[in-house]
Amino acid sequence: MNNKAFSLIELIVVIAIMAVLAGVSALGIGLVTGKPAESCANKLVTAVQSNRMTAMGKLDAHIEIYEDANGIWVKEVVTEVGEPDRVTTTRIGDKGVKVEYRITGDAEGFWRPLGDESNPLILRFDRSSGAFHDLSLMGTPYEGKYCIAIRCSKAHTVMNIKLTYLTGKIALE
């Protein structure tokens, strides 16, 4: 007998295999699209901690965090007496990663979008204690205000960075 049809068992096995492959690929895609946000948050924490160490090493230093069409950038500005500013700019986030921040006095759940190079988030540390300075380098309305959180997100991945302004502590949550 020449039977060229599929049996019910063969059909169920093929459907089960396809379902498993679809689930694995969906999980893989979810992990890949969230990875840039995780990477951006880790690089940002490293940059802020490094700047804190530089400032506590008795140099005047601050970082500027901004966004442009190519991604998220951190500019570290170090000033030594009698020397020109030393500026280092590093891309920490890919295009499509969203970075937002909160400052003291913001309502719970309110996040400010990151500005461009002419309007960056500027973080500066006190040289003696390592605590954050207020955001006065950003202009008058920010005097007496402190950045308390930064979040990096892409797709369904959200990475929160908590900043404790009194101590200068930085924690990735």
Side-chain angles (χ1 to χ4, degrees):
M1 175 176 356
N2 192 3
N3 190 354
K4 293 183 181 178
F6 293 110
S7 72
L8 185 58
I9 302 283
E10 290 171 327
L11 193 57
I12 289 173
V13 169
V14 169
I15 290 172
I17 291 171
M18 289 174 58
V20 168
L21 288 175
V24 168
S25 65
L27 179 63
I29 289 171
L31 291 174
V32 169
T33 58
K35 199 68 171 165
E38 205 174 307
S39 175
C40 180
N42 286 325
K43 288 177 183 177
L44 184 55
V45 166
T46 301
V48 172
Q49 288 173 336
S50 172
N51 188 260
R52 181 175 187 241
M53 290 296 125
T54 300
M56 290 181 72
K58 304 301 181 206
L59 297 174
D60 187 22
H62 69 271
I63 61 171
E64 302 176 7
I65 308 163
Y66 62 91
E67 179 178 17
D68 70 9
N70 297 315
I72 309 299
W73 298 84
V74 168
K75 181 191 295 184
E76 181 177 40
V77 180
V78 179
T79 305
E80 294 184 58
V81 178
E83 298 288 328
D85 286 352
R86 187 177 42 173
V87 179
T88 307
T89 304
T90 308
R91 190 172 103 184
I92 61 165
D94 295 332
K95 187 174 164 181
V97 174
K98 185 176 178 182
V99 176
E100 300 166 302
Y101 64 97
R102 290 183 54 215
I103 64 174
T104 51
D106 282 348
E108 188 67 33
F110 176 76
W111 291 91
R112 296 168 184 262
L114 200 57
D116 61 10
E117 189 173 7
S118 65
N119 189 25
L121 169 62
I122 303 174
L123 300 177
R124 183 173 54 146
F125 292 95
D126 182 86
R127 286 195 268 173
S128 60
S129 68
F132 283 98
H133 272 285
D134 70 2
L135 299 174
S136 59
L137 285 179
M138 291 175 60
T140 304
Y142 294 98
E143 289 178 15
K145 305 273 185 175
Y146 298 87
C147 184
I148 56 173
I150 301 173
R151 77 175 175 193
C152 303
S153 61
K154 183 167 184 178
H156 297 293
T157 302
V158 178
M159 302 297 294
N160 290 309
I161 303 167
K162 182 179 178 188
L163 308 173
T164 306
Y165 62 90
L166 293 174
T167 62
K169 184 178 176 186
I170 305 138
L172 183 60
E173 299 177 337

